[in-house]
Amino acid sequence: MTATRTRLVLGNWKMHGSLADNAKLLSALLAAPRVASTAQMGVCVPFPYLAQTAQALTGSSIAWGAQDISTQAQGAFTGEVSGAMLNDFACRFVLTGHSERRAMHAESDQIIADKANAALVAGLTPVVCVGESLAERDAGQALVVIARQLAPVLALGADAVQKMVVAYEPVWAIGTGRTASPEQAQEVHAAIRAALRGVGAEQVQILYGGSVKAANAASLFAMPDIDGALVGGASLVAEEFLAIAS
Ligand code: 13P
């Protein structure tokens, strides 16, 4: 069938930035003429910079969001940030289950599904990240791992899943300069698409992430099931990020 999915290019600033550096980056993004691009752009920034980002980007075509969300609505959860708080800054997106949070904060597949659900309850778009480690890939387990990671998310049902974005980020390609080949990525994206189709959510955007740069973005986007990118390091450099989205 014909793909009707809009290309989506999201930056994940991770734990980078300062008020001064962000001001420069955001104004460089805003200054660029984007007439030729049909891609939707967005940036997922550290919590303390949501106010600055919202102020800079309000009224522009660039969306913004956060990098994590609590499963809880409110209460004694020190250090956590709720969906309602993200709404106070007009966030559109929130990353859930980034591999760095899975690895460093022991977030389980179920916790990540709960976070995706919390985002939906707040009216935010969760960007559910999945991806295998190098050991899992070498053991031929990539698709099994992705299926396991997705299972509790898909269990939320078609109505919920249709409002999500999925990002495939192989752990071995993140920050390493080693991108998955377009064919390697497409194989996994096709499997994710099949799983989404299985729950009636075939048109969900599936982003690729892991060392995406201006030099490799076009070959990735040429694949039928790669609908955009989740960009780490290159999203901190305005020209690179803009070139990826152009
Ligand atoms: P890099 O683009 O720096 O490899 O990071 C990818 C990523 O983790 C985006 O969420």
Side-chain angles (χ1 to χ4, degrees), residues 8-51:
L8 176 61
V9 176
L10 287 180
N12 173 10
W13 289 5
K14 308 194 179 183
M15 198 172 74
H16 293 288
S18 66
L19 288 173
D21 288 347
N22 305 342
K24 283 189 214 145
L25 177 55
L26 291 166
S27 52
L29 296 179
L30 288 169
R34 303 196 56 246
V35 275
S37 174
T38 53
Q40 164 74 56
M41 281 174 82
V43 288
C44 293
V45 308
F47 293 131
Y49 299 133
L50 283 172

Side-chain angles (χ1 to χ4, degrees), residues 153-188:
V153 175
L154 299 179
L156 294 170
D159 286 351
V161 179
Q162 277 164 3
K163 298 187 192 114
M164 298 181 186
V165 171
V166 174
Y168 168 55
E169 299 204 306
V171 178
W172 47 273
I174 294 178
T176 59
R178 188 180 157 193
T179 325
S181 70
E183 294 73 21
Q184 279 176 320
Q186 169 57 27
E187 182 192 17
V188 176

Side-chain angles (χ1 to χ4, degrees), residues 20-165:
D21 288 347
N22 305 342
K24 283 189 214 145
L25 177 55
L26 291 166
S27 52
L29 296 179
L30 288 169
R34 303 196 56 246
V35 275
S37 174
T38 53
Q40 164 74 56
M41 281 174 82
V43 288
C44 293
V45 308
F47 293 131
Y49 299 133
L50 283 172
Q52 178 190 27
T53 303
Q55 189 173 21
L57 297 182
T58 295
S60 79
S61 61
I62 306 174
W64 61 93
Q67 298 171 11
D68 190 28
I69 182 173
S70 176
T71 57
Q72 305 295 319
Q74 95 172 41
F77 303 103
T78 303
E80 295 286 289
V81 174
S82 71
M85 292 173 184
L86 299 182
N87 272 330
D88 271 345
F89 297 94
C91 288
R92 170 147 163 219
F93 296 103
V94 60
L95 306 182
T96 60
H98 192 279
S99 63
E100 287 148 18
R101 295 207 60 86
R102 288 179 188 265
M104 292 179 228
H105 301 273
E107 290 188 7
S108 67
D109 300 330
Q110 186 58 54
I111 286 173
I112 289 155
D114 292 346
K115 289 188 173 199
N117 190 50
L120 292 174
V121 167
L124 299 157
T125 300
V127 180
V128 178
C129 305
V130 296
E132 81 285 3
S133 67
L134 186 57
E136 289 163 341
R137 171 157 287 263
D138 287 347
Q141 294 296 299
L143 297 182
V144 174
V145 169
I146 307 291
R148 189 207 72 216
Q149 291 173 336
L150 275 178
V153 175
L154 299 179
L156 294 170
D159 286 351
V161 179
Q162 277 164 3
K163 298 187 192 114
M164 298 181 186
V165 171

